[in-house]
Amino acid sequence: MPGPTAFYRLVCGLLIGLFSITATYGQSVAAGSSHTVAVHTDGSLWAWGLNTYGQLGDGSTTNRTPPVQIGSATTWGVVDQIG
């Protein structure tokens, strides 16, 4: 778990990312306790946040402040609440 300052920066990054993604992507956004996923209007899936256990689905355990595209599919429609 990151220290308090790093955690604060990550949370701020998540909130900024959420507003940015909603404005840019807007099709579907879902937030978990420490990560967020969104469907772009082109149908691609994007995720960001804590990734300690690989919960973003990008094949790594690297935390992501800017969104990272998950896979190459463009057939995602809606994402729902995540844990």
Side-chain angles (χ1 to χ4, degrees), residues 51 54 56-62 64 70:
N51 196 27
L56 297 183
D58 68 347
S60 78
T61 55
T62 302
R64 308 287 184 173
I70 306 303

Side-chain angles (χ1 to χ4, degrees), residues 13-32 34-49 55-58 64-82:
L14 291 172
L15 292 174
I16 291 167
L18 178 60
F19 291 118
S20 173
I21 289 293
T22 301
T24 304
Y25 293 52
Q27 181 164 321
S28 181
V29 177
S34 60
H35 61 287
T36 304
V37 295
V39 177
H40 191 285
T41 54
D42 69 3
S44 58
L45 182 65
W46 295 76
W48 67 99
Q55 59 266 45
L56 297 183
D58 68 347
R64 308 287 184 173
T65 300
V68 60
Q69 186 170 354
I70 306 303
S72 59
T74 56
T75 55
W76 292 91
V78 176
V79 289
D80 203 348
Q81 181 178 0
I82 51 180

